[in-house]
Amino acid sequence: MSAWGSKSERVREHVLDLVETMAVGDRIPAERKLAEELDVSRMTLRGVIDDLVREGYLNRRHGSGSYVAEPKIAQPLTMTSFSDDMRLRGFVPSGRTLELVTVAAGARLARRLQVSPTEPVVRALRLRLADDVPMAIETLHVLAALVPGLTADDLEHSSFYDLLAARYGVQLGTGAQVIEPTVTSEEESARLGVPVHSPAFLFERTTRDSAGAVVEFVRSIYRGDRYQLTATLLAPKRRDQDRARSGPAPTIAESHS
Amino acid sequence: MSAWGSKSERVREHVLDLVETMAVGDRIPAERKLAEELDVSRMTLRGVIDDLVREGYLNRRHGSGSYVAEPKIAQPLTMTSFSDDMRLRGFVPSGRTLELVTVAAGARLARRLQVSPTEPVVRALRLRLADDVPMAIETLHVLAALVPGLTADDLEHSSFYDLLAARYGVQLGTGAQVIEPTVTSEEESARLGVPVHSPAFLFERTTRDSAGAVVEFVRSIYRGDRYQLTATLLAPKRRDQDRARSGPAPTIAESHS
DNA sequence: AAGTGGTCTAGACCACGGC
DNA sequence: CCGTGGTCTAGACCACTTT
């Protein structure tokens, strides 16, 4: 996976399109057949299918075939915005921008964003709703220089990550998110419509672009009565004895209760 | 990856051993060279290295080489027991079994374990400590028939998963873990040594064996002041337009604050 | 230019599932 | 039995990094 016009990319699109036209549980064509149809070697097709299986689109059954997977109840958490996440789960996302200001980063935030403390930073406070029910409060910090002309309206009507890509040409790389349990403050409780000191998740996310530069720092409070995390644990690959390192990483997913 | 004596398995062990003798940042031999040394094709070796990269042992640099990766600060969460997790992080794990009884499953638990409500079930209540500091309270449920002769002492001196494998011949498959934010009850607070209503994680884990049968149901309370979760988000694979499905799953890891 | 990983090929044989 | 996925091969050529 890398070059845009690579054979794998093209095959991936084809197979993904195919999967989307099929029903859950349907068997996709045999690898040898599909590879020939798409004019690639079987190994190339297998690489693509391997990815799709890993991503949860397909299941393999040795000796039987590859089948369109059940859409996960708990969708994997991707680096999408809240909006995309909610849509993925069948909710209508919306948001209200409670605050949108440009301020100097300050010491703490400057360290997070890896910039000078005097660097102008856009701080946006957003209430996030799913089906018009408050779900989370999000505080977004992003370099002002990176998003000239950003308005509250932008944030309410499109995914911030879409904006970053489409308008500002920022290609996202990896991100790290720390998750802690917390309880809501009075202000948070009022905004979320939950009792004070309700259990909640605190998410702190630092996102980088594909070059490794910090793009944003986001602090979110998710109400614990409507949000849960689901981790799928995989059996570790056997190793004759334990080492100082660990096995395969499990996946995590968000879901609603 | 599957058969025990497969070439990939053997190669994996070799490369993993090699990695462990090298320092972080060292470059491993070139693929062509290493493949020849291990008497496999380059493609086979690449498959193994792909896995190791995914698992965080190695980093690849196109045109340069593959390098021993920095041990992750936040180790990936594997299907290990609390004991192994703590050891992995440099703590000395210990535990006190507060209760070990055999009871009828009852309606709720029977559904979780997928057995009859009258089925005898071992319930163990354990206090988990890291460096002698209470870290979590764990309630373990497992079919009594699966673990004949299990004693409180067993649970204090060895990993339950090790026990399952070594003494009872249970091979673990996948597990699902739901994570919610909560606050500690008075009893939990007392046992963990934290103020009442402290933020905490509630973990509910259902583990299956390699055949898909439910092995255990575990409910754990982790104190939120000493435990946090870290999710590594991966950039989604590009798709010309958004579809009803999502991209690659991120990894999650536990770490201490 | 030389060396490295990235992609792809056109086969081969094995292991499992279902008819 | 046959069709399926699982593994593996011995190359080829491309793209990138380093010298």
Side-chain angles (χ1 to χ4, degrees):
Chain A
M1 89 211 39
S2 59
W4 178 77
S6 77
K7 225 151 184 174
S8 288
E9 284 285 327
R10 181 175 63 77
V11 170
R12 180 188 166 86
E13 298 303 309
H14 274 253
V15 176
L16 225 29
D17 284 340
L18 176 64
V19 164
E20 280 159 7
T21 67
M22 300 176 69
V24 168
D26 284 358
R27 198 183 70 183
I28 68 172
E31 293 178 354
R32 291 167 180 79
K33 185 157 168 286
L34 195 49
E36 190 186 22
E37 281 177 20
L38 299 179
D39 192 36
V40 293
S41 77
R42 189 180 160 215
M43 283 299 280
T44 301
L45 174 64
R46 275 186 65 78
V48 170
I49 292 182
D50 282 347
D51 281 348
L52 296 181
V53 167
R54 236 190 311 275
E55 292 166 24
Y57 293 98
L58 294 171
N59 295 320
R60 285 188 139 132
R61 291 187 223 159
H62 191 172
S64 174
S66 294
Y67 300 80
V68 176
E70 191 87 35
K72 293 179 182 164
I73 298 89
Q75 291 286 356
L77 171 61
T78 54
M79 192 173 312
T80 59
S81 66
F82 176 88
S83 324
D84 289 340
D85 274 348
M86 288 303 107
R87 265 191 286 272
L88 226 47
R89 296 176 174 79
F91 291 85
V92 177
S94 54
R96 288 211 304 276
T97 303
L98 304 176
E99 180 190 294
L100 181 67
V101 294
T102 302
V103 296
R108 212 182 66 242
L109 192 55
R111 192 169 46 79
R112 296 275 196 180
L113 293 175
Q114 298 176 8
V115 297
S116 153
T118 59
E119 182 79 23
V121 166
V122 171
R123 184 178 73 217
L125 185 63
R126 293 195 285 175
L127 182 66
R128 303 292 221 153
L129 308 100
D131 285 356
D132 291 323
V133 176
M135 183 65 78
I137 297 171
E138 185 182 285
T139 310
L140 164 71
H141 300 90
V142 58
L143 278 193
L146 208 59
V147 290
L150 184 70
T151 69
D153 203 58
D154 290 336
L155 291 177
E156 301 211 355
H157 292 98
S158 46
S159 151
F160 180 57
Y161 289 159
D162 286 349
L163 265 182
L164 278 177
R167 190 194 295 176
Y168 301 111
V170 174
Q171 188 177 353
L172 294 179
T174 61
Q177 183 160 289
V178 176
I179 306 166
E180 293 177 22
T182 185
V183 292
T184 54
S185 68
E186 288 186 18
E187 186 184 354
E188 290 159 353
S189 300
R191 284 177 168 151
L192 289 175
V194 298
V196 284
H197 300 150
S198 296
F201 281 119
L202 167 63
F203 289 49
E204 288 191 341
R205 177 186 294 199
T206 304
T207 310
R208 295 164 182 276
D209 66 18
S210 50
V214 176
V215 172
E216 59 160 13
F217 172 70
V218 186
R219 184 178 186 279
S220 306
I221 302 285
Y222 278 70
R223 50 193 292 179
D225 60 337
R226 308 249 316 176
Y227 230 79
Q228 61 179 205
L229 300 170
T230 307
T232 301
L233 310 173
L234 308 175
K237 293 210 174 185
R238 271 163 273 106
R239 194 85 176 81
D240 30 2
Q241 60 180 80
D242 277 352
R243 303 308 226 271
R245 286 155 172 278
S246 62
T251 57
I252 188 172
E254 291 178 62
S255 66
H256 291 288
S257 56
Chain B
M1 75 197 72
S2 58
W4 176 77
S6 77
K7 223 150 183 172
S8 287
E9 283 285 329
R10 182 175 62 77
V11 169
R12 180 188 166 86
E13 297 303 309
H14 274 254
V15 177
L16 225 27
D17 283 339
L18 176 63
V19 164
E20 280 159 6
T21 67
M22 299 175 68
V24 168
D26 283 359
R27 198 183 70 184
I28 69 172
E31 293 178 354
R32 291 167 179 82
K33 185 157 167 285
L34 195 49
E36 191 188 20
E37 281 177 18
L38 299 179
D39 193 35
V40 293
S41 77
R42 188 178 159 215
M43 284 299 280
T44 301
L45 174 64
R46 275 186 65 79
V48 170
I49 293 182
D50 282 347
D51 282 347
L52 296 181
V53 167
R54 236 189 311 277
E55 293 167 23
Y57 293 98
L58 294 172
N59 295 319
R60 283 189 141 131
R61 291 188 222 157
H62 190 173
S64 174
S66 294
Y67 299 80
V68 176
E70 192 88 33
K72 291 178 183 165
I73 296 88
Q75 291 286 354
L77 171 61
T78 54
M79 191 173 312
T80 59
S81 65
F82 177 89
S83 325
D84 288 341
D85 274 348
M86 288 304 105
R87 265 190 287 271
L88 223 48
R89 296 176 173 79
F91 291 85
V92 178
S94 54
R96 286 212 304 277
T97 303
L98 305 175
E99 180 190 292
L100 181 67
V101 295
T102 302
V103 296
R108 211 181 66 241
L109 191 55
R111 192 169 47 77
R112 297 275 197 177
L113 292 174
Q114 299 176 5
V115 297
S116 153
T118 59
E119 181 79 23
V121 165
V122 171
R123 184 176 74 216
L125 185 63
R126 294 195 285 174
L127 182 66
R128 304 293 221 153
L129 308 100
D131 284 356
D132 292 322
V133 176
M135 183 66 78
I137 297 170
E138 185 182 284
T139 310
L140 164 71
H141 301 90
V142 58
L143 277 193
L146 208 59
V147 290
L150 183 70
T151 68
D153 203 58
D154 290 336
L155 291 176
E156 303 211 353
H157 292 98
S158 46
S159 151
F160 180 56
Y161 290 159
D162 286 348
L163 265 181
L164 278 177
R167 189 192 298 176
Y168 301 111
V170 174
Q171 190 177 351
L172 294 179
T174 62
Q177 183 161 289
V178 176
I179 307 167
E180 294 176 20
T182 185
V183 292
T184 54
S185 68
E186 288 186 19
E187 186 184 354
E188 290 160 353
S189 301
R191 283 177 168 152
L192 289 175
V194 298
V196 282
H197 301 150
S198 297
F201 281 118
L202 168 63
F203 289 45
E204 288 191 342
R205 176 185 295 199
T206 303
T207 310
R208 295 164 183 276
D209 66 18
S210 50
V214 176
V215 172
E216 59 160 13
F217 172 70
V218 185
R219 185 178 186 278
S220 306
I221 302 285
Y222 277 69
R223 50 193 292 180
D225 60 337
R226 309 247 316 175
Y227 229 78
Q228 61 179 205
L229 300 171
T230 307
T232 302
L233 310 172
L234 307 175
K237 292 210 173 185
R238 267 164 274 105
R239 193 87 174 79
D240 32 2
Q241 61 179 81
D242 278 352
R243 303 309 225 271
R245 286 155 171 279
S246 62
T251 58
I252 186 173
E254 292 178 61
S255 65
H256 291 285
S257 56

